[in-house]
Amino acid sequence: MANTRGEQESSSSQSSALRALPSVDRLVGSESLGALAESVGADAVTHAARQAIDDARSAILTGMADAAPNLDSLAEQVAASIDDLLGPRPRRVINAAGVIIHTNLGRAPLSRAAIEAMSNVGRGYSDLEYDLNAGERGSRHAHPERLLQFLTGAEAAIVVNNNASAVLLALAAIAGGREVIVSRGEAVEIGGRFRIPDVLRQSGATLVEVGTTNRTYAADYAEAITDNTGALLRVHRSNFLVVGFTSTPDAAEIAEIARGRGVPLINDLGSGCLLDTAQFGLAPEPTVRDTLEREGSDIAMFSGDKLLGGPQAGVAVGRKDLIDKMKSHPLARAVRIDKLDLAALTATLQAYARGAALTEVPVWRMISADVAALDERSLRWQENIGGKGLRVVEAETAVGGGSLPGGTLPTRALAIEPARANADALAERLRVSGSHPAIIGRIDEDRLLLDPRTVLPEEDDELISAVRAALEG
């Protein structure tokens, strides 16, 4: 009997809370939302108001709330929802985390020339697929091709929407329906469940693994080639290292075997590098030109938004007959690059062609930055932010983003040990405040590190202002 009475009282309380919820019209017509409806449109506000009331009703029915929120509280939820719906997405971030090519933060930042090129093409029409000289249909592949030929020594080139697409297209066009030989140590998952064996199956090719995870020899490739072999595939271990008892054949050895047997060698370079990384104290990374000319690969593929420092794109360069097969394959249209990325990529390649990559392309500006200059910037941050618990420390910057696995550069970072809150709380305030660009740092031993190597110098003042406000607030 007591339970029945309690259930009745609970049901009555729930019904009362539900009745207290305002109608959608009343909420939309409230004083605080009237101006918002005028600025963003009544439809958006009505949609958000209906969602806020539905959420409140659900909370009452599931026992998560005992009473209906008042009108002002619901209006605040609506305003926050509108801000989330109509605010900039993705949101701009200042990367002070000390990872140059940060996949979660959009990989390579673009140069000013690349951004201007996108703006010029995006604001109107362009000769994307129109030959202005001939006055007839042209090809979007023509825009970056001459630059890629000049920079890599390739006979021809094609650009698609990302490197995964380039790999898929190359395998489908060159080796579809045939066998592709891959070392077991390179049948890898690059990230996001992008696995080489799965890509091979999707392309219509059949995977033939040779060697072992840690040791593969040139003879393994030679012994596996049959009349049904469509290609040999090399895959860059772009985000991990295999150390210890290992053996990997030189690319030139594999290329010699491929040429002798009349089989193309396809080389997935991952990040793709046009400059000598050793000059900056990093591990030597084969350049695209070396891959084609010295090592003898028939096709080389790489990303546009890693070490190249451009937009998301997949670039394939090499023998003209093989590139032509890729261009004419039906998949080429499905994975083609769009006009904005094409414009940004071409502008980025032009910086290399002018010999200006170190001064114009942000990724290379960061890699080549002098430690003394980074120390000076960190000290300036410390001085302008002010307060206790700030000091400049030695640290390491990771190249990141599936490029130069394990490769780091020395840097100087600003270490912050907040007095009134822990480092995690400060990091959260810097991430979520809407009054400035989100600032991303990294936690190290209960302190927040901010690395100037991955912050563009023109972003310094914004960072200083945001950190000062977060410490004060």
Side-chain angles (χ1 to χ4, degrees):
M1 193 71 176
N3 287 341
T4 302
R5 185 179 297 111
E7 290 172 0
Q8 291 174 342
E9 291 175 352
S10 175
S11 176
S12 175
S13 175
Q14 190 178 80
S15 298
S16 177
L18 290 173
R19 286 195 300 272
L21 288 172
S23 67
V24 173
D25 287 343
R26 183 185 170 207
L27 179 56
V28 172
S30 64
E31 183 179 351
S32 57
L33 292 183
L36 185 62
E38 289 183 7
S39 63
V40 304
D43 288 347
V45 175
T46 299
H47 173 81
R50 186 173 289 113
Q51 185 63 57
I53 292 171
D54 286 346
D55 289 345
R57 181 180 294 109
S58 177
I60 294 168
L61 291 173
T62 58
M64 298 296 291
D66 297 327
N70 61 41
L71 197 65
D72 289 341
S73 177
L74 285 169
E76 288 177 4
Q77 291 181 47
V78 171
S81 176
I82 291 293
D83 184 60
D84 186 64
L85 178 70
L86 301 181
R89 291 290 183 274
R91 185 179 166 192
R92 179 174 161 241
V93 163
I94 293 179
N95 173 21
V99 180
I100 294 174
I101 304 170
H102 200 308
T103 298
N104 302 127
L105 302 184
R107 290 186 177 166
L110 296 177
S111 68
R112 289 182 179 179
I115 295 169
E116 184 177 346
M118 294 175 76
S119 177
N120 287 337
V121 166
R123 68 165 61 101
Y125 295 98
S126 68
D127 62 341
L128 177 66
E129 291 187 349
Y130 188 79
D131 188 328
L132 294 173
N133 292 324
E136 59 187 28
R137 182 183 177 89
S139 169
R140 70 181 62 204
H141 303 306
H143 298 286
E145 189 165 36
R146 285 182 60 199
L147 282 163
L148 287 165
Q149 289 170 326
F150 169 67
L151 292 169
T152 69
E155 293 178 2
I158 180 174
V159 177
V160 293
N161 62 357
N162 63 21
N163 194 44
S165 294
V167 174
L168 178 64
L169 177 59
L171 292 171
I174 297 169
R178 306 182 72 187
E179 296 176 346
V180 174
I181 299 172
V182 183
S183 167
R184 279 190 175 85
E186 296 175 1
V188 298
E189 177 180 321
I190 303 302
R193 298 188 66 82
F194 175 68
R195 296 175 173 176
I196 292 301
D198 294 340
V199 175
L200 274 161
R201 280 192 290 272
Q202 291 296 321
S203 73
T206 301
L207 170 66
V208 175
E209 291 183 289
V210 297
T212 63
T213 302
N214 60 320
R215 296 181 75 83
T216 302
Y217 305 97
D220 294 327
Y221 290 91
E223 292 167 2
I225 295 175
T226 69
D227 291 340
N228 195 38
T229 301
L232 307 186
L233 174 64
R234 294 193 76 226
V235 181
H236 190 284
R237 295 168 183 159
S238 59
N239 57 5
F240 70 97
L241 294 171
V242 178
V243 297
F245 187 61
T246 64
S247 177
T248 302
D250 185 85
E253 293 181 79
I254 304 174
E256 186 176 354
I257 292 170
R259 281 194 301 271
R261 303 291 289 274
V263 177
L265 172 59
I266 301 172
N267 202 328
D268 175 11
L269 293 175
S271 64
C273 189
L274 300 184
L275 300 180
D276 177 17
T277 54
Q279 64 181 307
F280 306 109
L282 294 165
E285 179 82 355
T287 65
V288 180
R289 182 179 288 275
D290 279 348
T291 299
L292 296 177
E293 295 184 350
R294 182 178 61 80
E295 296 180 350
S297 294
D298 296 293
I299 294 289
M301 298 166 294
F302 52 96
S303 296
D305 56 354
K306 293 183 179 178
L307 282 177
L308 188 68
Q312 177 178 297
V315 183
V317 295
R319 278 172 41 187
K320 186 177 187 305
D321 61 323
L322 300 179
I323 294 294
D324 284 346
K325 284 184 178 181
M326 294 175 67
K327 289 179 179 177
S328 61
H329 193 276
L331 267 179
R333 184 174 181 85
V335 299
R336 67 184 181 181
I337 190 170
D338 82 296
K339 63 183 180 181
L340 300 183
D341 286 331
L342 189 61
L345 178 67
T346 302
T348 303
L349 293 171
Q350 287 171 341
Y352 285 91
R354 293 194 306 271
L358 295 183
T359 57
E360 294 185 15
V361 178
V363 161
W364 287 101
R365 288 172 61 190
M366 294 173 183
I367 289 174
S368 63
D370 181 67
V371 174
L374 298 174
D375 186 63
E376 184 179 329
R377 288 176 63 198
S378 292
L379 289 169
R380 178 175 174 266
W381 291 1
Q382 179 184 22
E383 179 182 351
N384 282 272
I385 293 170
K388 298 179 180 179
L390 279 68
R391 59 193 179 96
V392 175
V393 299
E394 294 182 357
E396 295 290 324
T397 304
V399 177
S403 304
L404 300 168
T408 62
L409 294 161
T411 190
R412 300 291 184 271
L414 180 64
I416 305 175
E417 299 175 2
R420 289 181 295 170
N422 61 36
D424 288 321
L426 175 61
E428 182 180 5
R429 285 202 298 275
L430 288 170
R431 289 196 311 269
V432 302
S433 174
S435 62
H436 56 71
I439 311 292
I440 310 296
R442 73 175 185 269
I443 303 297
D444 177 70
E445 298 180 352
D446 296 324
R447 60 186 182 177
L448 178 66
L449 293 188
L450 303 176
D451 187 345
R453 189 184 286 276
T454 55
V455 177
L456 298 171
E458 50 268 33
E459 296 174 323
D460 279 3
D461 289 343
E462 287 180 295
L463 181 140
I464 290 167
S465 176
V467 175
R468 186 192 298 127
L471 288 172
E472 293 173 351

